[in-house]
Amino acid sequence: MLLPTQIKFNSHDCTLMLGVAHLEIPEEIKVVGASNGLTLKSEFHISIVVSDNARRVHDLVEEFQQFNETLQNLETLAKAQDWSYERLGRYSLHEEIYTRERLMEAGKSDVPPHIRRAIVERVHVPGIEQYYHGLSALLGPSFEVPLTHITIYSWSDFAPLELRGISILKDEDYKRTLIREL
């Protein structure tokens, strides 16, 4: 098992990510990245609380009278967790089309419709279930545990988001955006 280089809790937007050391990437994955015009990410992480879950956490925290204390409890919960992880060596190429409607729903009216592609590697994070159980105990409702992966390569036809990955949070997202297993 590997350990994250950093536990990144952002109290502003209630996101939680695990920093990952520079990865050794198999040559065949480098070839697929290059042949698809993707860019190697300069920073690697495992997303633990992002997107819909982060918005829900943020909204729930704002309802607490002891706002700062609740944020501190979230950070303490995150830092107390065993975040060891295992790289599974399962790589895949994904594509997501961000339509005007989808961007408007996400409050991104200033972003034009675009396409993103990414190569990801699946990882196993045994402590994530326990963390989400603790999160639910602290905030009330249950949360969907995300699919864990590391985005290794990315691309977009909208240059400002070229290094942004794809939101692959559930098995359904993984299957829907999958071009092929590598």
Side-chain angles (χ1 to χ4, degrees):
M1 294 295 255
L2 301 167
L3 294 174
T5 58
Q6 185 179 19
I7 299 167
K8 301 184 241 181
F9 175 74
N10 183 325
S11 61
H12 176 70
D13 60 7
C14 296
T15 57
L16 176 61
M17 293 186 273
L18 308 178
V20 173
H22 186 74
L23 302 174
E24 291 298 320
I25 301 165
E27 198 58 41
E28 59 270 19
I29 301 304
K30 292 178 183 178
V31 169
V32 173
S35 66
N36 282 277
L38 280 70
T39 302
L40 179 65
K41 302 268 293 179
S42 59
E43 169 274 330
F44 302 107
H45 65 267
I46 301 168
S47 298
I48 301 297
V49 180
V50 293
S51 203
D52 291 343
N53 278 347
R55 282 188 287 280
R56 279 187 69 208
V57 168
H58 184 271
D59 291 348
L60 287 165
V61 167
E62 285 190 333
E63 294 176 9
F64 282 79
Q65 291 197 344
Q66 296 90 10
F67 178 79
N68 289 331
E69 182 181 330
T70 304
L71 283 175
Q72 184 61 46
N73 290 341
L74 287 174
E75 186 168 11
T76 299
L77 177 66
K79 295 202 171 174
Q81 183 62 49
D82 173 8
W83 288 118
S84 57
Y85 66 94
E86 178 184 10
R87 293 180 64 190
L88 300 178
R90 292 176 43 204
Y91 299 89
S92 50
L93 176 62
H94 296 263
E95 179 177 275
E96 180 77 89
I97 298 171
Y98 291 82
T99 63
R100 167 68 52 213
E101 295 76 25
R102 180 174 177 193
L103 292 163
M104 296 296 279
E105 287 173 7
K108 309 267 187 202
S109 60
D110 57 332
V111 177
H114 61 280
I115 300 169
R116 292 187 214 162
R117 291 190 192 112
I119 293 177
V120 303
E121 179 184 7
R122 296 286 301 265
V123 294
H124 176 60
V125 183
I128 197 167
E129 297 278 346
Q130 181 180 354
Y131 173 77
Y132 268 89
H133 179 75
L135 191 62
S136 295
L138 185 64
L139 298 177
S142 62
F143 293 84
E144 188 166 354
V145 177
L147 179 142
T148 50
H149 66 280
I150 301 169
T151 300
I152 299 172
Y153 284 91
S154 61
W155 171 89
S156 176
D157 61 354
F158 179 53
L161 297 179
E162 180 179 46
L163 295 177
R164 193 75 178 266
I166 295 173
S167 294
I168 303 173
L169 304 174
K170 306 179 262 191
D171 284 328
E172 299 85 45
D173 297 331
Y174 185 88
K175 292 172 186 168
R176 178 179 47 77
T177 62
L178 181 66
I179 293 175
R180 70 178 188 271
E181 300 281 344
L182 302 175

